[in-house]
Amino acid sequence: MTNLFITHIPAPTPTGFTKQQTIGGIKLLWDNLTTSAASSYLLYSSTINDRDTATLVAEVSETDYFYATTDNTTIYFWLRCRSAWGQVNGDWSSGVNAGLSSQTELVRTVDVIPNAISNFIIAESVGVNNIVSPYSAYAPIFNTSFTSSGGRTIIDASYDNLSATFTSNNLNTMLARVYQRNLLIDNFYGGSDTSLQKTVFGSSQVEPHGDSNPWQNLANINTADLNQYADVTWSATGKADGLYLYNYDFSAIPDDAYIYDVKLEIVMDASNISGVPKVFVRLCWDGSDFPTKGGDDSSLVGYNITASATKLNYTFGGLAESNLSWAGRFIRSTATDLHRISVADVKDSKFGIRIFPTNDISPAGTTLKIYRAAITVSYTTKKVIWDHAFATNLYRSNYAYVFNPYKTLTHQLENNHNYTYRIDAMAETSTPATDIVNIYAQNCFINVQEVKR
Amino acid sequence: MINYIIFTKSSGEINNSVTAVADSIDLAYIQLMHPDFDPVLQDFMETTDQVSTISEYVVSGVITARPLFSTVATLNKSVITADNTDSATLGSGLPNPTTVVGLQIPDGGEYTPAITTITDGSLVIKSAVAGQISFNLRAFPYQNQLFTVEAI
């Protein structure tokens, strides 16, 4: 049998553990391992070089600690990390009998020069290949790193026309994210990922098929009660009316949001399944008058459902269907509007679901019942901060994705802390495969300014 | 409107299912509308109804339902204790090979080595970390399916 065993990620091993002997105590410093999933650091000490005798001094989230002492005794230190998931399960900074030793200084010998800035680096762009589960990868566009020593500091870094290479054949979305001190700033400009489900529609319309068996009880499915249903009966001609449900009211979605998924949910059954009754379901998004052509598009594939004799829930699209991602491929085909579905589209009063009982139902007299026809729209209001970016070779087309406008990043810096900012481009694909997608970022830059206090 | 599909000749896998506004379709039409169409590896055919690319495929020219994983293997439990001892088993008749994709594990967890294929018919899942474990299985012509196990 194949085994899938999941264990705790070990906390990282401390690095850069060093000391500064000062008057009145010992300052201990170590590397920031936040990017290696360290959440805090546990400092142990002993007066003899034997870790088994050491006791916990402090657990801190900073990368330094001042150990106050005045008696000039040699102290031995060991450091250990707690992981981002609360586990203290990594290695120590050094061996049992290899503690970091230090004493307090009796005479002050040096001062730190104020207003010094060092280690300002713009890194090379990095290509990303072989995207694997969960089908996304990040490529750093550039990094800036510097140490603030106080006073007024202005860092202005920019880079033009960098590229990163992703391996994919079905590129669904691109996002840009900003990292500060190697932590993702989800809320730097506010925003969140949200899913909004609507089970109630505002309007409905019937597409007559020429028979005299209209839809019944339409108001009944316009509730959250899954015991209520609307129904239609196939006539002797073998046909039944189509149904268009719309005006779902997605007005709560902010106008500057980015739609990244749409999912449909149909709950239905049929009174007789001997004729393999089928229902074809598709979205209508652009508000064209129904039933004239234009409310749907031939390039958008709908779904053919074979109804069951028992009430079942059918969903289409949705993030869990990694290889389906209906909304992820929800690309308009008109030549003048080559972007994914927009907020305006889902807010349009004609945005809705079209349901067509197909012709091959038999025997006549079979009744189709629909208990729910819901739409879930997933969107994000997170912002990106580069001027603009574009991608080529997206999902069998050469669509250009234009990101949100550049915005100034302002953050007050603390003295004597190391800061790293990074802009990443993310490619999210529906399947890992072999085609190459090139992502280009133009005019992306970060401007950091410290205001003198 | 005309319904048609584009499918892979060797496997019968349906690559596109389209409803087009056209009186008829031919090879020239297909190549115009689908620049990526490869007549050596792919074929196309008109269908009476819209065909699902997910749940159907072509067998000897006939639209046929793709089988479900549940006909050959089931998950014996959906909730396990996060003690690295309790386990859930998915088996025992998975096709060889079955590809595992989209594996999602709880935050703070890791697995070694990465599981990409199942060649012996079953999969055993254990976890020391609480949270949701999910993955998709693929083994054409079976329908892709998402499995989820909760470690508590």
Side-chain angles (χ1 to χ4, degrees):
Chain A
M1 291 185 289
T2 303
N3 295 313
L4 171 59
F5 294 162
I6 297 166
T7 57
H8 287 286
I9 294 175
T13 303
T15 58
F17 190 34
T18 187
K19 89 269 183 168
Q20 292 175 350
Q21 298 177 192
T22 64
I23 297 172
I26 304 163
K27 186 170 186 178
L28 298 151
L29 306 100
W30 50 87
D31 292 340
N32 184 348
L33 296 177
T34 307
T35 55
S36 301
S39 64
S40 61
Y41 309 90
L42 287 77
L43 180 67
Y44 289 78
S45 71
S46 175
T47 55
I48 57 177
N49 193 5
D50 182 352
R51 195 175 66 204
D52 292 340
T53 66
T55 58
L56 179 66
V57 176
E59 179 175 358
V60 297
S61 58
E62 293 81 12
T63 56
D64 53 49
Y65 183 82
F66 185 77
Y67 184 89
T69 179
T70 56
D71 62 5
N72 203 28
T73 300
T74 298
I75 309 293
Y76 297 87
F77 297 97
W78 291 263
L79 191 66
R80 210 175 181 195
C81 296
R82 183 182 296 281
S83 75
W85 303 279
Q87 305 290 316
V88 182
N89 54 357
D91 289 336
W92 294 81
S93 56
S94 56
V96 174
N97 304 117
L100 177 68
S101 63
S102 185
Q103 298 169 292
T104 183
E105 280 283 335
L106 299 179
V107 179
R108 181 168 182 165
T109 58
V110 64
D111 287 326
V112 176
I113 300 173
N115 302 328
I117 300 171
S118 61
N119 300 326
F120 178 58
I121 300 169
I122 297 178
E124 297 287 338
S125 66
V126 179
V128 177
N129 293 296
N130 301 319
I131 294 176
V132 295
S133 167
Y135 318 142
S136 64
Y138 288 82
I141 301 301
F142 71 89
N143 290 278
T144 67
S145 180
F146 59 91
T147 301
S148 170
S149 299
R152 182 178 176 83
T153 303
I154 298 177
I155 303 298
D156 189 344
S158 64
Y159 214 100
D160 189 35
N161 198 26
L162 291 174
S163 66
T165 299
F166 293 81
T167 298
S168 163
N169 73 338
N170 289 318
L171 187 65
N172 286 338
T173 64
M174 285 180 56
L175 297 174
R177 290 180 171 175
V178 179
Y179 290 75
Q180 182 255 335
R181 295 177 69 178
N182 298 319
L183 285 174
L184 177 64
I185 307 178
D186 266 330
N187 299 313
F188 203 89
Y189 295 118
S192 61
D193 294 333
T194 308
S195 290
L196 179 60
Q197 184 190 51
K198 290 290 188 176
T199 59
V200 175
F201 52 85
S203 307
S204 62
Q205 199 167 339
V206 171
E207 179 187 24
H209 253 288
D211 62 9
S212 58
N213 291 342
W215 278 88
Q216 305 288 333
N217 308 309
L218 270 177
N220 284 352
I221 58 173
N222 213 6
T223 72
D225 184 359
L226 284 175
N227 293 315
Q228 301 291 320
Y229 58 83
D231 59 283
V232 69
T233 300
W234 272 265
S235 69
T237 63
K239 295 183 178 180
D241 291 348
L243 188 59
Y244 176 32
L245 308 176
Y246 57 100
N247 195 10
Y248 276 83
D249 186 15
F250 284 100
S251 60
I253 299 177
D255 289 337
D256 61 349
Y258 175 82
I259 306 295
Y260 61 87
D261 192 53
V262 175
K263 182 173 70 175
L264 301 189
E265 179 186 7
I266 304 292
V267 180
M268 67 176 191
D269 63 26
S271 63
N272 188 334
I273 61 171
S274 62
V276 194
K278 292 182 179 178
V279 175
F280 184 65
V281 178
R282 72 188 336 178
L283 280 177
C284 174
W285 74 80
D286 69 354
S288 296
D289 291 338
F290 185 84
T292 54
K293 173 62 181 165
D296 58 351
D297 189 276
S298 60
S299 67
L300 174 61
V301 178
Y303 288 89
N304 231 349
I305 319 169
T306 299
S308 169
T310 57
K311 183 168 61 180
L312 290 181
N313 180 315
Y314 304 86
T315 59
F316 314 104
L319 298 177
E321 297 183 36
S322 58
N323 68 324
L324 303 181
S325 190
W326 186 349
R329 298 177 181 179
F330 203 126
I331 300 170
R332 289 179 165 187
S333 63
T334 57
T336 58
D337 201 359
L338 300 176
H339 61 74
R340 296 159 62 92
I341 189 168
S342 68
V343 174
D345 292 330
V346 300
K347 284 187 172 182
D348 193 294
S349 61
K350 290 299 181 71
F351 178 69
I353 308 172
R354 297 178 71 181
I355 301 170
F356 302 93
T358 57
N359 292 348
D360 56 351
I361 181 68
S362 64
T366 296
T367 297
L368 172 73
K369 298 177 181 177
I370 293 184
Y371 300 81
R372 170 175 291 176
I375 301 177
T376 301
V377 175
S378 298
Y379 62 94
T380 183
T381 55
K382 295 175 183 174
K383 306 300 183 187
V384 296
I385 69 159
W386 57 30
D387 186 12
H388 66 276
F390 64 91
T392 60
N393 295 332
L394 299 182
Y395 184 53
R396 296 180 181 178
S397 294
N398 291 323
Y399 297 146
Y401 282 67
V402 178
F403 293 93
N404 293 332
Y406 164 77
K407 294 183 179 180
T408 301
L409 174 68
T410 303
H411 181 62
Q412 192 171 28
L413 306 180
E414 297 176 19
N415 288 350
N416 300 314
H417 278 251
N418 185 65
Y419 292 83
T420 298
Y421 288 88
R422 189 174 87 197
I423 293 181
D424 283 357
M426 185 187 81
E428 181 182 68
T429 71
S430 61
T431 57
T434 56
D435 292 349
I436 300 299
V437 172
N438 291 314
I439 296 174
Y440 297 90
Q442 284 193 321
N443 304 322
C444 57
F445 58 100
I446 292 177
N447 183 312
V448 183
Q449 175 173 304
E450 180 182 16
V451 178
K452 190 169 185 175
R453 285 160 285 179
Chain B
M1 292 195 295
I2 288 179
N3 297 314
Y4 66 88
I5 61 171
I6 294 173
F7 62 96
T8 302
K9 291 178 180 178
S10 58
S11 64
E13 183 173 7
I14 298 170
N15 312 119
N16 295 75
S17 177
V18 178
T19 299
V21 181
D23 297 328
S24 63
I25 58 171
D26 53 18
L27 179 58
Y29 177 87
I30 294 296
Q31 290 179 324
L32 176 65
M33 300 303 292
H34 303 274
D36 296 337
F37 179 75
D38 184 344
V40 176
L41 301 177
Q42 294 176 300
D43 202 352
F44 64 94
M45 62 183 284
E46 190 173 333
T47 61
T48 304
D49 301 313
Q50 270 282 350
V51 174
S52 168
T53 61
I54 307 308
S55 60
E56 295 175 297
Y57 70 130
V58 180
V59 178
S60 301
V62 178
I63 304 299
T64 306
R66 290 170 60 173
L68 300 172
F69 274 111
S70 59
T71 60
V72 293
T74 57
L75 197 59
N76 71 334
K77 61 171 78 169
S78 59
V79 178
I80 60 175
T81 304
D83 59 0
N84 210 22
T85 301
D86 192 19
S87 66
T89 300
L90 176 62
S92 59
L94 293 171
N96 182 11
T98 294
T99 304
V100 180
V101 295
L103 176 61
Q104 303 279 353
I105 64 175
D107 286 345
E110 66 176 10
Y111 57 94
T112 304
I115 304 296
T116 56
T117 58
I118 301 169
T119 59
D120 52 8
S122 63
L123 178 67
V124 176
I125 301 152
K126 293 181 185 176
S127 180
V129 187
Q132 189 177 80
I133 304 157
S134 66
F135 52 88
N136 276 285
L137 289 188
R138 296 179 182 175
F140 191 82
Y142 290 89
Q143 294 185 34
N144 301 338
Q145 185 173 346
L146 175 70
F147 291 88
T148 300
V149 173
E150 189 78 21
I152 59 174

